[in-house]
Amino acid sequence: MTVTRPAGTDASAELTLRVHNAINAGASSTASVAEGGVDVAALFPELWRGSGRFAYVQLYAGEQAVGSPVVIQPMLTPVHAVERPGAVPIQYNARQRVFSGVRAFVDKQAVLETSAGDIVIRLRSDVAPNHSWNFRHLVEGGYYTDVIFHRIVDARNGREPFVIQVGDPTGVGTGGPGYQIDLEDTRSLPHNFGVLSMARTGIQSDPAAPNTGGSQVFIALSRGGTAFLDGRYSTFGEAVEGADAILSIAATPVTSGDRPLDEPPAIRRAYLRDAPPIGSKPAPLRRPEQAGGR
């Protein structure tokens, strides 16, 4: 990678690269660097040994984190998930995982420009690297352009708010990108308000159901309404801006089948923007009417 001292930083401040294992974790390794080309593989050989290790590599000027971190994702054979009725909700095949290299890329946020306002998503590559990468790929390709929220399940009949769902280009709930991705174990990112998760087939009689994600995603509306999804659906992002837009979409009048009436809310377009440095990342949203809650 190439190191450049950002404008406005102290010219005498030491430049270092630091390895963070997760988005909210402290640095586990540090190396001094100079401007110009840097061999990250030589500086941090632990990232490439064995089966590799996921990491964020962040540039610091003194103690100030500057620029977006670089994501280092080891490329491993997916762990295939199976869901069987009456058994532990999700089981994973213990097949051998092959390490074939790394994927390195600059961390990004996803901005969803919806008819109700912008929703900014912090992608959690540290939790679900394959789902995050898949979503980035679809956003960059313009997939989420004029796509409606086809399923809206807010509070009703004593049930807590559930989800708003989007990502089917046909608008009927059965479409997708033409491929499927495997479930990732994301229990470390529970379904709180504003968390982005991948929709999939929910038929428990189909052992392959967990591995049917693609482009349809949903945003959780409350912890109470979505906690049972933890470990069964892959979370891979969290909203850091746009609570009002989420709640406005959730308030859309719907049919008895949870489909919006009249003019459905929609994502007008989606795009990526550079993520802030480690340590400057905004907190995930909380549901406004739930003081101190999620």
Side-chain angles (χ1 to χ4, degrees):
M1 62 186 290
T2 301
V3 171
T4 302
R5 183 183 295 275
T9 59
D10 183 354
S12 65
E14 180 186 19
L15 295 178
T16 59
L17 289 177
R18 304 183 189 182
V19 174
H20 296 257
N21 299 330
I23 211 165
N24 296 315
S28 61
S29 300
T30 301
S32 296
V33 295
E35 291 190 82
V38 174
D39 185 347
V40 178
L43 288 176
F44 305 111
E46 68 272 18
L47 298 181
W48 329 101
R49 292 190 182 118
S51 59
R53 178 158 68 93
F54 180 92
Y56 293 97
V57 178
Q58 176 68 58
L59 176 65
Y60 283 77
E63 292 303 311
Q64 178 186 359
V66 289
S68 301
V70 171
V71 178
I72 306 293
Q73 178 195 346
M75 304 301 292
L76 296 166
T77 306
V79 177
H80 196 71
V82 178
E83 187 173 31
R84 293 187 175 91
V88 176
I90 297 292
Q91 297 175 327
Y92 292 94
N93 288 350
R95 63 186 179 186
Q96 181 180 5
R97 304 191 74 188
V98 177
F99 172 54
S100 59
V102 300
R103 175 186 283 152
F105 52 93
V106 176
D107 193 22
K108 298 285 185 179
Q109 292 179 332
V111 182
L112 311 181
E113 290 186 355
T114 81
S115 52
D118 290 357
I119 302 170
V120 179
I121 302 293
R122 175 169 65 189
L123 296 174
R124 294 296 303 272
S125 297
D126 55 323
V127 173
N130 292 333
H131 280 72
S132 297
W133 180 260
N134 173 69
F135 192 70
R136 284 174 57 125
H137 167 73
L138 293 172
V139 168
E140 288 178 314
Y143 189 91
Y144 297 102
T145 301
D146 292 327
V147 178
I148 69 168
F149 286 85
H150 62 272
R151 184 183 182 216
I152 297 172
V153 190
D154 202 2
R156 66 167 184 264
N157 300 328
R159 181 176 181 175
E160 294 191 60
F162 188 44
V163 303
I164 54 175
Q165 188 164 326
V166 70
D168 174 11
T170 71
V172 299
T174 58
Y179 61 83
Q180 296 176 333
I181 62 174
D182 286 351
L183 187 80
E184 291 178 286
D185 186 355
T186 61
R187 284 171 289 184
S188 61
L189 179 61
H191 287 80
N192 296 318
F193 173 78
V195 165
L196 184 68
S197 189
M198 179 64 71
R200 64 170 177 83
T201 299
I203 304 173
Q204 289 194 8
S205 59
D206 178 4
N211 308 299
T212 54
S215 62
Q216 290 195 42
V217 298
F218 59 86
I219 297 175
L221 295 179
S222 72
R223 177 61 184 158
T226 57
F228 73 99
L229 301 177
D230 292 352
R232 299 182 59 238
Y233 289 74
S234 292
T235 52
F236 63 96
E238 51 197 351
V240 294
E241 298 177 30
D244 289 345
I246 293 171
L247 293 177
S248 176
I249 294 168
T252 302
V254 296
T255 68
S256 59
D258 302 323
R259 292 187 57 79
L261 293 167
D262 303 322
E263 186 70 21
I267 298 177
R268 297 304 181 204
R269 77 174 182 121
Y271 63 92
L272 301 177
R273 72 183 189 191
D274 287 347
I278 293 282
S280 300
K281 296 183 180 297
L285 295 178
R286 293 179 179 269
R287 191 173 171 94
E289 67 266 31
Q290 291 179 315
R294 299 298 295 273

